[in-house]
Amino acid sequence: MKKFYLVLLLAFFASCTNSNSETQRKDGKRVIRFWHSMSGALQEKLNKIIDGFNASQNEVIVEGTYKGNYTDALNGVVAAYRGGKQPHITQVFEVGTQSMMQSGAIIPVEDLFTKNGIDLNKSDFLAPVLGYYSNLDGKMISMPFNSSTPIIFYNQDLLDELKITKIPETWDEMFAVSKEIKSKSPYCGLVFGWQSWTLVENFLAINNVAIANPENGFLGLDVKMNLLSPELSKNIARVAEAIQNKEFLFEGRRSEAPRRSFLARKCVFFVDSSSSIGTLKKAAQFKWGTAYQPYLSDRKPQNSLIGGASLWVMKGHPEADYKSIAEFFKFIARPEIQAEWHQATGYIPITRSSYDLSTSQGFYLKEPQQETAVKQLLRGEMTSKSRGIRLGNFSQVREVIEENLEKIWEGRLTTEEGLKEANEGANLVLDRFKQLRSNNDKASEETKP
């Protein structure tokens, strides 16, 4: 189910025409149901934001409900929509953006604000955040919330021990210093998390190379992957060699195992989401810092891409509820709310005003490691190749890339063979998505009165 979930997403949504007309009431107030994937300390912080909104007005109560990880939560909202029991708001990870946009089950956030006469200050959102969650015409489709980007973490104590004074800025420097580290110590140079996101998607964006043509998928569903680019091929081959020489360490597709290795002082550098900052603050038993993700020596680096998730408004609820949803979104975008969320979690501030507030509060003077991600996102002028990625079934595209990267790391395929298989497999995923969308459009046309 998991593997083919996003392939079937459109079909599940398209087969449903429902109206969730009953609105639960509590204490005489309407209830706005918000499904999310924030657990542990993040859930506690989110609950505090929700409680703040509930206390600020007397019309509605927003009820936040944890629905499991991003994939499980998306499975749940599809099943709920089919039964007419969908929430008002659902949190969806960034790779589900195209599928949600094409689902026919959502109300674009900008339309929500416009219809209810509430101002949406789009110009305040950081450009890479706004670009990722807007369509080609610039209309904001979902509400940014927990956004992150991959950065370098480094163990300053180990750098001091090894007498290394310069943090690598380019991939040439990262490969060279990792070789030096391994030659004179038991440590590895670099361990990395989220390999497709960090070593493929963000690598290409930072070096201004498309992951898919045309326009990274923003121009429509007729799109082909660009995983055979010489820039990517060369760098992946060098990563594979570094892994074989134990200069780099591969510890799995997600971030938990690589982060444990970094915390255990196995490696000096760690590429991962900026959202790991919260964990490192609590768990690291050494002095650490952050830096930009490396770029190619012959390139002028661009902005990185965001990860995390955004909030989507589901169709099928009473009209009165939608104004309250817009008011809730306006509340969570307040500078003081976003600044507090950013400072507590390691996610980036999604708006310029919240970033400016954190700056004026002197936060970055005390916590400079938390400004790195913001500066990297704002580096350079955003291009069509660094705006974001808009691929259908992107989660399955990532799976194809992940599988073939691992074959390369293990030496079962050469870099050329692995990227060729990844390119072909990902194109099949995109073709199936395009065909499904075409079939759904045809079916909808045929059933019109």
Side-chain angles (χ1 to χ4, degrees):
M1 176 69 175
K2 181 179 177 182
K3 183 172 182 179
F4 295 104
Y5 172 69
L6 288 177
V7 178
L8 299 175
L9 178 62
L10 296 177
F12 283 162
F13 278 138
S15 65
C16 309
T17 54
N18 63 75
S19 178
N20 192 356
S21 59
E22 294 185 6
T23 301
Q24 181 184 2
R25 289 183 174 270
K26 178 182 281 189
D27 299 332
K29 299 179 182 180
R30 289 176 288 114
V31 172
I32 303 299
R33 291 178 294 134
F34 171 18
W35 290 4
H36 63 80
S37 296
M38 300 282 95
S39 61
L42 291 175
Q43 184 174 10
E44 292 176 9
K45 192 65 184 175
L46 175 58
N47 286 341
K48 183 179 178 181
I49 294 173
I50 292 172
D51 290 344
F53 173 75
N54 290 339
S56 73
Q57 44 75 48
N58 296 310
E59 297 295 321
V60 300
I61 293 175
V62 174
E63 283 190 345
T65 303
Y66 175 70
K67 285 291 182 176
N69 64 38
Y70 287 135
T71 301
D72 290 342
L74 199 46
N75 286 339
V77 80
V78 169
Y81 190 84
R82 296 182 76 189
K85 301 296 183 181
Q86 71 274 17
H88 297 76
I89 305 165
T90 188
Q91 183 186 35
V92 178
F93 56 164
E94 91 281 9
V95 298
T97 299
Q98 177 73 298
S99 297
M100 290 297 291
M101 286 176 65
Q102 296 287 330
S103 70
I106 59 97
I107 296 174
V109 163
E110 191 163 339
D111 290 347
L112 176 79
F113 275 76
T114 300
K115 185 174 182 179
N116 289 284
I118 298 173
D119 179 51
L120 175 63
N121 185 11
K122 290 200 304 180
S123 63
D124 191 32
F125 287 86
L126 300 184
V129 176
L130 179 63
Y132 207 105
Y133 296 120
S134 299
N135 65 15
L136 191 61
D137 296 328
K139 177 189 285 188
M140 185 182 286
I141 306 299
S142 62
M143 184 69 181
F145 181 58
N146 57 306
S147 293
S148 59
T149 199
I151 56 176
I152 289 281
F153 297 89
Y154 58 86
N155 184 322
Q156 185 62 57
D157 289 351
L158 291 185
L159 289 174
D160 292 343
E161 176 185 326
L162 296 168
K163 295 182 170 50
I164 296 173
T165 58
K166 186 178 187 301
I167 306 300
E169 296 180 16
T170 68
W171 279 105
D172 283 343
E173 292 173 351
M174 179 60 78
F175 289 120
V177 76
S178 296
K179 186 178 290 293
E180 177 187 352
I181 289 168
K182 194 62 187 175
S183 71
K184 62 183 183 183
S185 78
Y187 313 123
C188 81
L190 177 72
V191 62
F192 50 87
W194 304 109
Q195 57 182 347
S196 177
W197 186 48
T198 58
L199 300 184
V200 177
E201 298 159 35
N202 271 276
F203 169 83
L204 291 170
I206 288 171
N207 291 290
N208 205 30
V209 180
I211 192 173
N213 292 310
E215 300 273 337
N216 278 1
F218 272 83
L219 296 184
L221 303 184
D222 190 12
V223 59
K224 296 296 182 184
M225 298 300 294
N226 185 42
L227 299 177
L228 303 180
S229 65
E231 297 91 347
L232 180 63
S233 297
K234 181 178 179 180
N235 214 64
I236 292 298
R238 296 182 75 184
V239 172
E241 181 181 5
I243 291 173
Q244 292 165 9
N245 293 337
K246 303 187 185 311
E247 296 156 2
F248 282 16
L249 181 62
F250 170 63
E251 291 276 68
R253 297 184 182 185
R254 299 174 68 85
S255 66
E256 293 84 358
R259 187 166 57 231
R260 285 195 297 269
S261 290
F262 180 66
L263 288 170
R265 296 165 54 100
K266 288 184 180 180
C267 298
V268 177
F269 301 102
F270 174 37
V271 177
D272 194 47
S273 168
S274 56
S275 62
S276 278
I277 285 175
T279 301
L280 264 62
K281 279 183 174 182
K282 295 178 180 178
Q285 300 297 310
F286 50 82
K287 185 178 179 181
W288 58 276
T290 60
Y292 295 161
Q293 184 169 328
Y295 58 92
L296 295 177
S297 302
D298 63 347
R299 298 299 172 99
K300 181 180 179 181
Q302 301 294 136
N303 62 281
S304 55
L305 301 176
I306 62 168
S310 63
L311 308 182
W312 297 78
V313 181
M314 304 298 295
K315 289 181 176 178
H317 294 284
E319 286 300 318
D321 292 352
Y322 288 110
K323 183 172 184 179
S324 297
I325 296 170
E327 293 285 4
F328 175 60
F329 283 175
K330 186 175 181 179
F331 178 86
I332 65 176
R334 287 181 180 178
E336 63 272 20
I337 299 295
Q338 275 298 310
E340 186 176 352
W341 172 256
H342 157 60
Q343 293 174 21
T345 65
Y347 286 111
I348 65 165
I350 59 172
T351 60
R352 172 64 70 173
S353 57
S354 57
Y355 177 40
D356 291 344
L357 178 59
S358 292
T359 302
S360 66
Q361 291 172 339
F363 175 70
Y364 301 120
L365 295 176
K366 296 179 294 182
E367 305 281 353
Q369 69 272 16
Q370 284 193 231
E371 192 173 19
T372 302
V374 188
K375 288 183 173 180
Q376 183 178 265
L377 275 172
L378 298 177
R379 178 177 57 186
E381 185 174 346
M382 190 170 64
T383 72
S384 62
K385 300 176 181 67
S386 66
R387 176 184 182 182
I389 302 171
R390 189 74 84 243
L391 302 179
N393 293 336
F394 194 4
S395 181
Q396 194 177 347
V397 168
R398 268 192 183 168
E399 278 194 30
V400 171
I401 295 172
E402 301 272 9
E403 289 169 3
N404 284 284
L405 285 177
E406 287 163 18
K407 292 176 183 177
I408 295 171
W409 307 152
E410 294 164 6
R412 289 188 285 146
L413 291 177
T414 65
T415 299
E416 182 180 1
E417 291 168 341
L419 291 180
K420 182 179 179 183
E421 285 198 12
N423 206 68
E424 292 173 351
N427 279 334
L428 287 176
V429 173
L430 296 177
D431 289 344
R432 284 198 298 267
F433 185 89
K434 178 184 175 183
Q435 186 61 45
L436 180 60
R437 178 70 261 179
S438 176
N439 290 342
N440 285 338
D441 289 345
K442 188 181 298 183
S444 298
E445 190 67 30
E446 290 173 352
T447 56
K448 283 183 178 179

Coordinates of all heavy atoms in Angstrom, one line a residue, residues 1 17 36 60 104 139 178 203 252 326 334 359 367 428:
M1 N 0.8 -1.2 0.0 CA 0.0 0.0 0.0 C 0.9 1.2 0.0 O 0.6 2.2 -0.7 CB -0.9 0.0 1.2 CG -1.8 1.3 1.4 SD -3.0 1.4 0.1 CE -3.9 2.8 0.6
T17 N -17.3 12.2 -4.2 CA -18.0 13.5 -4.1 C -18.8 13.5 -2.8 O -19.8 12.8 -2.7 CB -18.9 13.7 -5.3 OG1 -19.8 12.6 -5.4 CG2 -18.2 13.8 -6.6
H36 N -2.3 16.1 12.0 CA -0.9 16.4 11.8 C 0.0 15.2 12.1 O -0.5 14.2 12.6 CB -0.6 17.6 12.6 CG -0.7 17.4 14.1 ND1 0.3 16.7 14.8 CD2 -1.7 17.7 15.0 CE1 -0.1 16.7 16.1 NE2 -1.3 17.2 16.2
V60 N -14.7 29.2 17.4 CA -14.4 27.8 17.1 C -13.3 27.3 18.1 O -12.6 28.1 18.8 CB -13.8 27.6 15.7 CG1 -14.8 28.1 14.6 CG2 -12.5 28.4 15.5
G104 N -8.1 17.5 -6.5 CA -9.5 17.9 -6.6 C -10.2 18.0 -5.2 O -11.4 18.2 -5.1
K139 N -0.1 31.5 -7.4 CA -1.2 31.4 -6.3 C -0.7 30.4 -5.3 O -0.3 29.3 -5.6 CB -2.5 30.9 -7.0 CG -3.6 30.7 -5.9 CD -4.8 30.0 -6.5 CE -5.6 30.9 -7.4 NZ -6.9 30.3 -7.8
S178 N 37.8 15.0 4.2 CA 37.4 13.6 4.7 C 38.5 12.6 4.5 O 38.7 11.7 5.4 CB 36.1 13.2 3.9 OG 35.0 14.0 4.2
F203 N 21.5 19.0 -3.9 CA 22.7 19.1 -4.7 C 22.5 19.8 -6.0 O 23.2 20.7 -6.5 CB 23.4 17.8 -4.9 CG 24.5 17.8 -5.9 CD1 25.8 18.2 -5.5 CD2 24.3 17.4 -7.2 CE1 26.8 18.2 -6.4 CE2 25.4 17.5 -8.1 CZ 26.6 17.9 -7.7
G252 N 21.7 4.8 6.3 CA 20.3 4.6 6.1 C 19.6 5.8 5.4 O 20.2 6.8 5.3
A326 N -9.1 30.3 7.8 CA -8.3 31.4 7.4 C -7.8 32.2 8.6 O -6.6 32.6 8.6 CB -9.1 32.3 6.4
R334 N 1.7 34.7 12.4 CA 2.1 35.9 13.1 C 3.6 35.9 13.4 O 4.1 34.8 13.7 CB 1.4 36.1 14.4 CG -0.1 36.5 14.3 CD -0.7 36.6 15.7 NE -2.1 37.0 15.6 CZ -2.9 37.1 16.7 NH1 -2.4 36.9 17.9 NH2 -4.1 37.5 16.5
T359 N 16.0 38.2 14.7 CA 17.2 39.0 14.6 C 17.2 40.1 15.6 O 18.2 40.3 16.4 CB 17.4 39.5 13.2 OG1 17.4 38.5 12.2 CG2 18.7 40.3 13.1
E367 N 22.5 32.0 19.3 CA 22.3 30.8 18.7 C 22.6 30.9 17.2 O 21.7 30.8 16.3 CB 20.9 30.2 18.8 CG 20.4 30.1 20.3 CD 20.9 28.9 21.0 OE1 21.5 28.1 20.3 OE2 20.7 28.8 22.2
L428 N 9.1 6.1 -15.3 CA 7.9 5.3 -15.3 C 6.9 5.7 -14.3 O 5.6 5.7 -14.5 CB 8.3 3.8 -15.1 CG 9.0 3.1 -16.2 CD1 9.4 1.7 -15.7 CD2 8.1 2.9 -17.4

